[in-house]
Amino acid sequence: MAAISRAIRYCAAASRRSVAASSKEVPADVARTAAVVAAARCGPERDREGGRRVQWVFLGCPGVGKGTYASRLSRMLSVPHIATGDLVRDALASPGPFSKQLAEIVNHGKLVSDEVIINLLSKRLEEGEEKGELGFILDGFPRTIRQAEILEGVTDIDLVINLKLREEALLAKCLGRRMCSQCGGNFNVASIDIEGENGGPRMYMPPLLPPPQCESKLITRPDDTEEVVKERLRVYHDLSEPVEEFYRARGKLLEFNLPGGLPESWPKLLQALNLEDPGKERSAAV
Ligand SMILES: Nc1ncnc2c1ncn2[C@@H]1O[C@H](COP(=O)(O)OP(=O)(O)O)[C@@H](O)[C@H]1O
């Protein structure tokens, strides 16, 4: 992880100096070396099955549920769930001109620059390294081809899970998203029940309601308004969808069409991943 965060930071510095005009030049020798070192460091990190801790990525449109499924899997597999959207929101919460600049971008549904996001991610990886974290599930990164190339230059990604959901459900899910301002729990008040496509079954996604103690403390993300969600979806199709093809071409992409809400989709996702449900996760809201 140290090598990865250092190498990612190196790439950020390289972008700052505009040294790297093309992706092939970006990771260069330093990052390549770092990747080898990172791989070598996996030796003592082997788990019971003999493989190193997972290094997975979650892709998918805003509202698809990346955070929900990534955080459940991270608890199951004992690896950190690193959501770049959370890193951005933490940065937004600290006072100063930087957070004002960020808010301008995020609240209009745009992506922050690769340089900013890579700096935030490197810092998070370094903090994790100090705590002895191993492996990761990335959620919301990479979101551009350039980010994917930088990541590829510094470490091996084992698997990329591409969550898919019908567009009308995505908008409703973003608009129904709520967070408890006290405990940080994520909920969804949307009850989605839509006609099946081409004679297929209806899609039902029950709401994920907060417990009574959180009900009066629910807040909505400022970028979860209809106008901004539509822009985020447009930006996803434009800049992030090509990342799916990037990983498909490398044979790393697992496409997963969500059949419905969490109770229906979670066991099917585990099945697709060939994982056993330890049974602990069923009731917890995430
Ligand atoms: N990898 C990234 N690259 C650029 N901007 C990012 C990235 N990850 C998060 N962001 C910024 O943070 C916002 C919130 O991200 P996230 O919580 O992942 O949203 P979503 O629900 O749209 O998937 C994004 O709209 C974007 O402005």
Side-chain angles (χ1 to χ4, degrees), residues 210-276:
Q213 68 272 21
C214 297
E215 267 167 15
S216 61
K217 300 172 194 114
L218 296 185
I219 51 171
T220 305
R221 271 168 53 172
D223 59 342
D224 273 344
T225 62
E226 181 161 351
E227 194 192 347
V228 178
V229 171
K230 284 186 173 160
E231 176 61 9
R232 279 158 56 208
L233 286 168
R234 193 195 64 73
V235 167
Y236 185 88
H237 293 312
D238 212 19
L239 296 175
S240 307
E241 224 159 58
V243 177
E244 298 176 10
E245 188 46 45
F246 179 93
Y247 286 116
R248 190 177 291 115
R250 285 154 177 78
K252 296 196 170 175
L253 197 74
L254 173 80
E255 306 268 14
F256 187 77
N257 283 300
L258 289 157
L262 190 63
E264 192 180 348
S265 302
W266 173 243
K268 292 199 171 121
L269 178 62
L270 290 184
Q271 207 176 10
L273 293 169
N274 215 4
L275 290 171
E276 291 270 319

Side-chain angles (χ1 to χ4, degrees), residues 61-63 66 84-86 88-89 106 109-112 117 139-143 147 177 221 223 232:
C61 285
K66 296 183 296 291
T84 45
D86 289 344
V88 168
R89 279 181 287 280
V106 176
K110 309 288 186 204
L111 293 185
V112 306
I117 207 76
D139 153 10
F141 185 95
R143 234 167 166 116
Q147 291 175 13
R177 208 147 51 176
R221 271 168 53 172
D223 59 342
R232 279 158 56 208

